[in-house]
Amino acid sequence: MSRRGHSMRSTKVAIVGAGPSGLLLSQLLGREGIDSVVLEKESREHVQERIRAGLLEWTTVELLREAGVGARMMREGLVHEGFDVAFANGHRRIDLKGLTGKSMLVYGQNELQKDLAAARCDDAGAVLWEARDVTLEDFDTRAPRVSYTHEGTRSELRCEFLAGCDGYHGVSRSSVPRERLAQYERVYPFGWLGLLADVPPPHEELVYANHERGFALCSMRSRGRSRYYLQCPLEDTVEEWPDSRFWGELRLRLPESYARQLLTGPSLEKSIVPLRSLVTEPMQFGRLFLVGDAAHIVPPTGAKGLNLAAADVWVLSRALVEFYRKGSATLLEEYSARALSRVWKATRFSWWFTLLMHRFSADPFTQRLQSAELEYLASSDAASRTLAENYVGLSFD
Ligand code: FAD
Ligand code: PHB
């Protein structure tokens, strides 16, 4: 049915946002024969070029394989069995595999976006890129609607369920009346300055460094491409950080053994992100479900953001499959509680690891407590195991 200048379409699940949450949900539903349409405000190229997370928990890896998008990831991803915590010019290896039996996979979020988009775009019309001015309506009824502008035409998508996968700045969370949700938030008094360069990393595993000048992280995307982060004041701009200043500062914050190995090169990308914790409760409002960053944000220190998003998708996709297969809404009603139980544990871990690794205050008492905790971590298998267990991701219940 359509009028001039206005078109209408219907689907079972309307998904707002084509980040990892939206595309993965659409892909998992598609494999179960459940029709969905993804509305994304940016272009496909823009989404695929955004440099964000880089570390996948094994549960996320398994989920991506189950979704049929794991082939390139398994060929090109790097398996990491441990990482280093550096402080006081020394370092301690956290043996993830030895302590938990689990490993992590280094695979860039933008590569994952390419794999997911390629899989979804086989299904013509499943993703509408550059869908602007999305508005959500009637999500308290059995017939929610989404209006949007695509290729100059204002259109309407009728659906049975709505998934808000549109990230922290999206329209889904803000469509819910303020009095129906609680938001728990912490804003940290610094940001992360990230730099990507085609140079080999100084060490084959990730290095998280606590230093009196501030936190530093050596990560990677491949054996020849490194990703580095420096704690920086929130008011700093990228222009104040020419490459030479970045490399000089990074060298100062790493233990000498790694600083000596550091190879520098021109930056491919440089950006500053603020650090924040946010949890929205509940994550369901009638037939609208908030998923991933639309519902919660963690500081990147624990590498949990993308993995939490994948966990939400897993819980929601199972619930929708149960609804369409058996007509039961039990798992849908449990979505919020199940997702939040994991979200709060990851929020606690990300907050704790952020506190441990960053320079927060000049207060000597706080600083000595931090040093004592780092020494305890380095000398205690129990403390290392607790870190490792949370880092590799807690198991689903
Ligand atoms: P997103 O990836 O944010 O996807 C949401 C999508 O919705 C986007 O494509 C957006 O364009 C679209 N959208 C937004 N508003 C609308 C609208 N109104 N209509 C239609 N579409 C809309 N995590 C880590 O673990 N490590 C990191 O180093 C790290 N770095 C990050 C750097 C940045 C700049 C950001 C923003 C996040 C970072 N994260 C990191 C977090 C991680 O990338 C996210 O947790 C992950 O992307 C969550 O996926 P998502 O699909 O839920 O949300
Ligand atoms: C990254 O490679 O971007 C990365 C890795 C680990 C983190 C955060 C970011 O904790």
Side-chain angles (χ1 to χ4, degrees), residues 52-55 192 206 208 217 219-221 227 229 300-303:
R52 290 187 171 177
L55 211 54
W192 274 22
L206 269 63
Y208 289 81
L217 170 60
S219 182
M220 65 192 77
R221 291 292 176 269
R227 178 72 168 160
Y229 296 97
T301 325

Side-chain angles (χ1 to χ4, degrees), residues 209-313:
N210 173 299
H211 191 273
E212 61 189 29
R213 297 179 67 90
F215 169 77
L217 170 60
C218 306
S219 182
M220 65 192 77
R221 291 292 176 269
S222 64
R223 289 195 181 81
R225 179 169 285 189
S226 294
R227 178 72 168 160
Y228 297 101
Y229 296 97
L230 291 176
Q231 173 183 351
C232 70
L234 270 176
E235 50 284 353
D236 277 14
T237 60
V238 167
E239 292 68 43
E240 291 170 86
W241 284 92
D243 291 1
S244 57
R245 181 177 172 206
F246 187 100
W247 294 119
E249 186 63 32
L250 178 61
R251 201 172 270 119
L252 289 175
R253 295 186 191 186
L254 295 178
E256 273 154 32
S257 53
Y258 292 141
R260 270 200 303 274
Q261 302 294 323
L262 191 67
L263 295 174
T264 64
S267 61
L268 302 171
E269 193 262 3
K270 220 187 287 166
S271 53
I272 295 181
V273 288
L275 267 64
R276 150 190 334 266
S277 298
L278 169 77
V279 182
T280 306
E281 289 185 0
M283 288 168 59
Q284 177 194 356
F285 307 87
R287 289 199 163 202
L288 167 64
F289 295 83
L290 299 183
V291 181
D293 277 20
H296 42 73
I297 297 282
V298 286
T301 325
K304 287 282 152 275
L306 176 55
N307 294 294
L308 271 184
D312 289 354
V313 168

Side-chain angles (χ1 to χ4, degrees), residues 16-22 39-42 46-47 50-55 109 113 131 134 165-172 192 221 227 229 271-273 291-294 296 298 300 302-307 309:
V16 186
S21 304
L39 302 171
E40 165 60 49
K41 73 169 181 186
E42 304 288 354
H46 177 93
V47 168
R50 285 189 304 219
I51 305 297
R52 290 187 171 177
L55 211 54
Q109 183 170 325
Q113 291 270 190
V134 169
C165 300
D166 48 353
Y168 178 67
H169 299 285
V171 67
S172 301
W192 274 22
R221 291 292 176 269
R227 178 72 168 160
Y229 296 97
S271 53
I272 295 181
V273 288
V291 181
D293 277 20
H296 42 73
V298 286
K304 287 282 152 275
L306 176 55
N307 294 294

